[in-house]
């Protein structure tokens, strides 16, 4: 029995589109911050006598589709370890599931870490990142602490790595905590299949990633923030251009982007981004985070979070 804890990440340069859905290779690389809040804790216990894997999610038995996604990852672990045993997986998320906070990132990073150990594999962080990738693309990055870049790669070796860069905080503005309508997996597929702008998005993301890595190397928060906000708006633009269209940002999300622009006019440096949901994440220098949170507090519940640890085994409680 092995237990691991992993944290979600929020991308500054977004992963949106796959080059290979079977191997889960992204169309372009991405860059994110692993958070210090909203952990997922997962325990994997081998049950050799069981006919199937089973999954408990937040205290309830999971749906057959959720179990299938877990089994697909465990099948890879079984192949790597030579074991045929099924497993019982018990997992708990501290984040609101499905509200665009990518609990699949922390979920599959924790599952990969706990499952590898339960099946007796001793994997490097890069190999755990490769394994987590097969569960959910964004999980590739949650294996690593703080800033992490996921190399697009063009084969099975595609994984993330640590990056050093400026220190900053994220102010999450929860404008709507309900379950999102179209999953990111489905929306990514639809964008790639129908948007006339998809290839431009992929190309511009690869360029923005290079520039963002340079900004990290230069310890340049301002440049990193500017690139983050434009990349997020470009991602939402390409998503909205799918057929039928998908809109994740609501009027309340746009109000946060407007408010962030006003903060900058007032000399408080902040930049906004949003994932596949209506909630907006604002980045600021550490010293400005409380002031930014206070100014945005009228627009929704806010949480100030910082860089967090990579996925790790924890001792059973
Ligand atoms: C908008 O990693 O949830 O958060 O690979 O299909 O599981 P799958 O998708 P997922 O998509 C994350 C999309 C995003 C951007 C990002 O995290 O880079």
């Amino acid at each position: 029995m092995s237990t691991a804890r992993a944290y979600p990440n929020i991308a500054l340069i977004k992963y949106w589109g796959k080059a290979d859905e079977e191997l889960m290779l992204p169309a372009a690389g991405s860059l994110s911050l692993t958070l210090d809040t909203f952990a997922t804790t997962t325990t994997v216990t081998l049950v050799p006598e069981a006919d199937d894997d089973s999954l408990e999610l937040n205290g309830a038995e999971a749906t057959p589709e959720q179990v299938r996604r877990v089994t697909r990852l465990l099948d890879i672990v079984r192949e790597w370890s030579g074991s045929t045993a099924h497993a019982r997986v018990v997992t708990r998320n501290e984040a609101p599931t499905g509200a665009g906070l990518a609990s699949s990132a922390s979920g599959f990073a924790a599952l990969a870490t706990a499952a590898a150990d339960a099946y007796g594999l001793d994997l490097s962080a890069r190999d755990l990142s490769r394994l987590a990738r097969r569960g959910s693309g964004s999980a590739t990055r949650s294996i690593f602490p703080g800033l992490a870049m996921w190399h697009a790669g063009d084969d099975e070796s595609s994984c993330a790595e640590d990056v050093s860069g400026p220190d900053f905080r994220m102010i999450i503005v929860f404008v709507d905590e309900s379950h999102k309508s179209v999953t990111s997996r489905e929306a990514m597929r639809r964008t790639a299949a129908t948007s006339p702008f998809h290839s431009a998005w992929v190309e511009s993301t690869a360029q923005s990633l290079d520039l963002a890595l340079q900004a990290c190397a230069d310890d340049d928060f301002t440049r990193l923030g500017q690139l983050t906000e434009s990349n997020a708006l470009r991602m939402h633009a390409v998503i909205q251009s799918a057929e039928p269209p998908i809109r994740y940002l609501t009027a309340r999300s746009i109000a946060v982007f407007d408010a962030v622009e006003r903060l900058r006019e007032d000399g408080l440096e902040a930049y906004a981004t949003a994932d596949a949901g209506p909630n907006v994440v604002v980045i600021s220098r550490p010293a400005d985070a409380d002031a930014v949170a206070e100014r945005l507090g009228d627009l929704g519940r806010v949480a100030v979070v910082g860089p967090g640890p990579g996925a790790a085994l924890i001792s059973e409680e």
Side-chain angles (χ1 to χ4, degrees):
M1 163 163 154
S2 305
T3 300
R5 182 166 294 153
Y7 291 82
N9 66 74
I10 300 289
L12 308 173
I13 301 297
K14 307 289 190 191
Y15 147 58
W16 192 262
K18 296 176 176 70
D20 182 326
E21 182 143 356
E22 179 54 34
L23 281 180
M24 298 284 284
L25 302 177
S30 54
L31 174 72
S32 63
L33 187 78
T34 298
L35 309 183
D36 58 1
T37 321
F38 306 125
T40 298
T41 306
T42 299
T43 300
V44 175
T45 310
L46 300 200
V47 191
E49 66 279 13
D51 295 330
D52 291 300
D53 299 315
S54 65
L55 169 65
E56 180 190 302
L57 179 58
N58 293 334
E61 279 308 305
T63 64
E65 177 49 30
Q66 287 167 330
V67 177
R68 269 195 292 278
R69 268 184 89 169
V70 163
T71 288
R72 275 198 292 273
L73 191 97
L74 293 177
D75 281 344
I76 297 167
V77 179
R78 283 187 277 260
E79 191 189 313
W80 290 7
S81 67
S83 165
T84 54
H86 287 106
R88 170 76 175 158
V89 177
V90 176
T91 188
R92 186 165 287 282
N93 278 324
E94 288 164 27
T97 305
L101 251 188
S103 51
S104 68
S106 52
F108 282 99
L111 177 65
T113 305
D117 188 66
Y119 281 87
L121 294 169
D122 183 18
L123 301 185
S124 65
R126 290 175 88 94
D127 284 341
L128 284 173
S129 173
R130 282 171 57 211
L131 177 60
R133 187 193 83 229
R134 303 294 290 273
S136 180
S138 51
T140 313
R141 301 177 308 233
S142 271
I143 295 296
F144 291 93
L147 283 168
M149 182 209 5
W150 178 13
H151 295 269
D154 53 11
D155 64 17
E156 234 268 294
S157 64
S158 169
C159 66
E161 71 172 320
D162 274 318
V163 171
S164 41
D167 188 20
F168 58 91
R169 297 292 175 268
M170 288 185 155
I171 300 96
I172 305 176
V173 187
F174 294 94
V175 303
D176 179 356
E177 302 190 43
S178 63
H179 217 273
K180 68 185 175 212
S181 47
V182 187
T183 64
S184 37
R185 187 153 302 180
E186 166 57 24
M188 261 182 218
R189 247 181 230 139
R190 195 187 300 173
T191 307
T194 65
S195 169
F197 309 138
H198 181 70
S199 60
W201 152 256
V202 171
E203 250 168 66
S204 93
T205 298
Q207 285 161 5
S208 300
L209 178 61
D210 288 344
L211 296 170
L213 291 172
Q214 190 55 52
C216 286
D218 297 342
D219 205 26
D220 186 344
F221 172 74
T222 298
R223 188 70 189 121
L224 186 61
Q226 292 166 340
L227 289 161
T228 296
E229 194 168 296
S230 337
N231 185 257
L233 291 172
R234 285 177 185 172
M235 180 185 78
H236 286 279
V238 77
I239 292 172
Q240 292 181 28
S241 70
E243 183 62 52
I246 300 163
R247 284 185 298 132
Y248 286 120
L249 301 180
T250 64
R252 299 183 65 188
S253 322
I254 303 296
V256 180
F257 278 80
D258 286 344
V260 165
E261 220 173 286
R262 284 196 298 276
L263 290 181
R264 287 199 294 266
E265 282 160 16
D266 295 349
L268 200 51
E269 209 181 345
Y271 301 90
T273 184
D275 283 340
N279 298 322
V280 180
V281 178
V282 177
I283 69 172
S284 80
R285 294 178 199 277
D288 294 335
D290 289 340
V292 170
E294 174 152 0
R295 289 276 303 267
L296 298 176
D298 293 344
L299 298 167
R301 187 169 74 84
V302 294
V304 179
V305 301
L313 292 167
I314 57 174
S315 50
E316 326 287 351
E317 281 134 27

